[in-house]
């Protein structure tokens, strides 16, 4: 069944680890983060056992960006990811341990760059920041960004507030 649902007919099989999915976005210059944001990845398990992504909520409610950055930064450096955006996906288990399961260099999809980041940091252009970082310019020329506003990205809709504030909307999306 999984191979049929896959675009290329291939699947990756691994043990299921229950917990909360947490993403980490880093914007790097010279191997040093100038922006670190942890966000919750909101998923729902379907009746057939499959898992469907519903959206993202930031900042993360469980693990903070500082803790995740301490785990991710050595790996980023070892992979030569020293400038621009880098994304890391973790699963936080019931004991509070973070398990890394995915790493992506550059701006990713999922509405993060075009919807979530501008909603969290009004006036911030992640595409311009990415180009600046890769061309040796300051990706944050106006200085550090303020603390992010809380927001939930549900599909292509950006809602104010964290996942708890949008529980009804998320529940409706999960059952749809």
């Amino acid at each position: 069944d999984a191979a049929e649902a896959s675009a290329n007919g291939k699947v990756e099989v691994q043990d299921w680890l229950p917990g909360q999915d947490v993403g980490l976005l880093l914007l790097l210059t010279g191997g040093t983060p100038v922006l670190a944001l942890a966000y919750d990845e909101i998923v729902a398990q379907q009746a057939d056992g499959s898992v469907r992504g519903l959206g993202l909520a930031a900042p993360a409610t469980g693990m903070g960006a500082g803790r995740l950055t301490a785990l991710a930064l050595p790996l980023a450096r070892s992979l030569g990811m020293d400038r621009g955006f880098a994304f890391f996906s973790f699963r936080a288990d019931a004991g509070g341990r973070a398990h890394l399961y995915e790493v992506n260099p550059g701006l990713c999809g999922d509405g993060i760059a075009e919807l979530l980041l501008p909603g969290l940091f009004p006036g911030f252009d992640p595409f311009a920041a990415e180009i600046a970082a890769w061309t040796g310019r300051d990706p944050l020329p106006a200085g550090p960004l303020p603390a992010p506003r809380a927001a939930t990205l549900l599909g292509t809709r950006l809602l104010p507030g964290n996942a708890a504030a949008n529980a009804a909307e998320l529940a409706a999306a999960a059952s749809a």
Side-chain angles (χ1 to χ4, degrees), residues 15-149:
D15 289 335
W16 175 257
L17 176 67
Q20 170 65 43
D21 290 335
V22 182
L24 174 69
L25 165 154
L26 295 177
L27 176 55
L28 303 162
T29 59
T32 301
V34 295
L35 174 63
L37 175 72
Y39 53 90
D40 292 325
E41 297 183 25
I42 304 163
V43 299
Q45 189 164 7
Q46 305 301 292
D48 65 0
S50 64
V51 177
R52 180 169 58 105
L54 297 178
L56 308 166
T61 55
M63 296 200 166
R67 180 173 173 202
L68 295 175
T69 299
L71 296 171
L73 197 53
L75 177 61
R77 289 177 177 151
S78 74
L79 294 172
M81 299 166 76
D82 65 346
R83 62 185 155 188
F85 283 98
F87 290 83
F88 301 83
S89 292
F90 295 88
R91 173 129 331 133
D93 67 21
R97 287 189 52 211
H99 302 266
L100 178 70
Y101 67 87
E102 187 174 354
V103 178
N104 292 297
L107 286 173
C108 299
D110 299 335
I112 294 172
E114 69 274 21
L115 298 170
L116 185 63
L117 286 175
L120 297 171
F121 306 105
F124 176 62
D125 181 348
F127 299 100
E130 174 87 337
I131 292 168
W134 275 97
T135 57
R137 294 178 289 125
D138 185 352
L140 301 175
L145 294 174
R149 298 178 178 179

